[in-house]
Amino acid sequence: HTLSDAMREQGRPFSTLMVALIESGETSGELDTVLERLADDLDRRTELKRQLVTALTYPGIVFLAAIGVVAFLVMMVIPRFATFLAGSGKELPAAATLLLDISAWLGEWGATLAGGALVLAVGLAVASTIAPARRVIDRALLMVPVVGGTLSAAAMAQAAWTLAMLVKSGTTVLQSLNVTARVVGNQAIAEGFHTAAKDVLTGRS
């Protein structure tokens, strides 16, 4: 067996990218160079994940804090003032009445709402294991402000580096596009690479 075949049979932890690079290195006789590039890619991938987590941590904390503050005000603070405001004998402004209504509604349906959010989260996690649903979820994530741009930039940076490394190692453009599509985490972006591979196969640049 060749090294690439042996790694392919083992499956994890040898990814599609690793096997493709090793195979091209064996064909071109530059296996040592390819292994060095692969090591660099693993380092780069780890650094990219670290940067992605760092970029998304701050917006995530701010978002959760905002939800927490609003929930505390609506469910704890406003109800305590409701009796005082109602007993003042004055007509409440529309904004205050709306807040009181929202507070009362959340007090009655808050637990149901939280349970529904939990069920939705579990449902999305299960759906992400199904290819068509995963594609829809990934496409929706790319449309989320701030988060979408960060995810898109990270995925395209990884895709460009992977594609360059494959082509530089002697893999054909068609094979490189297909391997890159399998490596990219976001299925919506991966679909774009698959489409590009089909276009190249039909003779387009």
Side-chain angles (χ1 to χ4, degrees):
H1 285 69
T2 61
L3 176 59
S4 57
D5 286 338
M7 293 171 69
R8 186 181 288 109
E9 288 182 5
Q10 291 299 314
R12 291 178 65 91
F14 305 118
S15 65
T16 303
L17 173 63
M18 290 181 183
V19 174
L21 283 171
I22 296 299
E23 190 172 17
S24 67
E26 290 174 325
T27 303
S28 63
E30 297 182 352
L31 185 56
D32 55 339
T33 304
V34 168
L35 287 171
E36 289 178 358
R37 290 173 187 160
L38 186 55
D40 290 339
D41 175 69
L42 293 173
D43 288 340
R44 196 182 195 85
R45 191 185 296 265
T46 302
E47 177 63 18
L48 188 62
K49 286 181 180 179
R50 187 192 65 78
Q51 292 177 358
L52 183 61
V53 170
T54 301
L56 294 177
T57 298
Y58 178 72
I61 292 175
V62 171
F63 179 71
L64 291 176
I67 291 178
V69 169
V70 171
F72 176 76
L73 288 174
V74 171
M75 299 185 70
M76 301 296 293
V77 177
I78 293 177
R80 294 184 180 182
F81 282 95
T83 305
F84 170 75
L85 293 173
S88 64
K90 297 180 181 179
E91 185 178 352
L92 297 178
T97 303
L98 178 62
L99 282 176
L100 289 174
D101 291 341
I102 292 174
S103 175
W105 184 84
L106 286 176
E108 184 177 355
W109 295 98
T112 304
L113 201 62
L118 180 61
V119 170
L120 178 62
V122 173
L124 288 175
V126 173
S128 64
T129 61
I130 305 171
R134 172 73 182 276
R135 195 176 301 114
V136 172
I137 293 172
D138 284 350
R139 188 175 286 111
L141 284 174
L142 294 178
M143 300 167 75
V144 177
V146 181
V147 175
T150 303
L151 292 175
S152 178
M156 290 306 299
Q158 181 60 48
W161 170 253
T162 301
L163 189 60
M165 184 169 54
L166 285 164
V167 173
K168 192 174 183 179
S169 299
T171 309
T172 64
V173 172
L174 180 60
Q175 287 177 307
S176 299
L177 286 170
N178 285 322
V179 171
T180 301
R182 293 197 293 270
V183 170
V184 174
N186 189 287
Q187 294 303 305
I189 296 177
E191 186 178 5
F193 279 100
H194 278 306
T195 302
K198 291 177 183 177
D199 289 344
V200 168
L201 190 61
T202 59
R204 297 185 64 182
S205 61

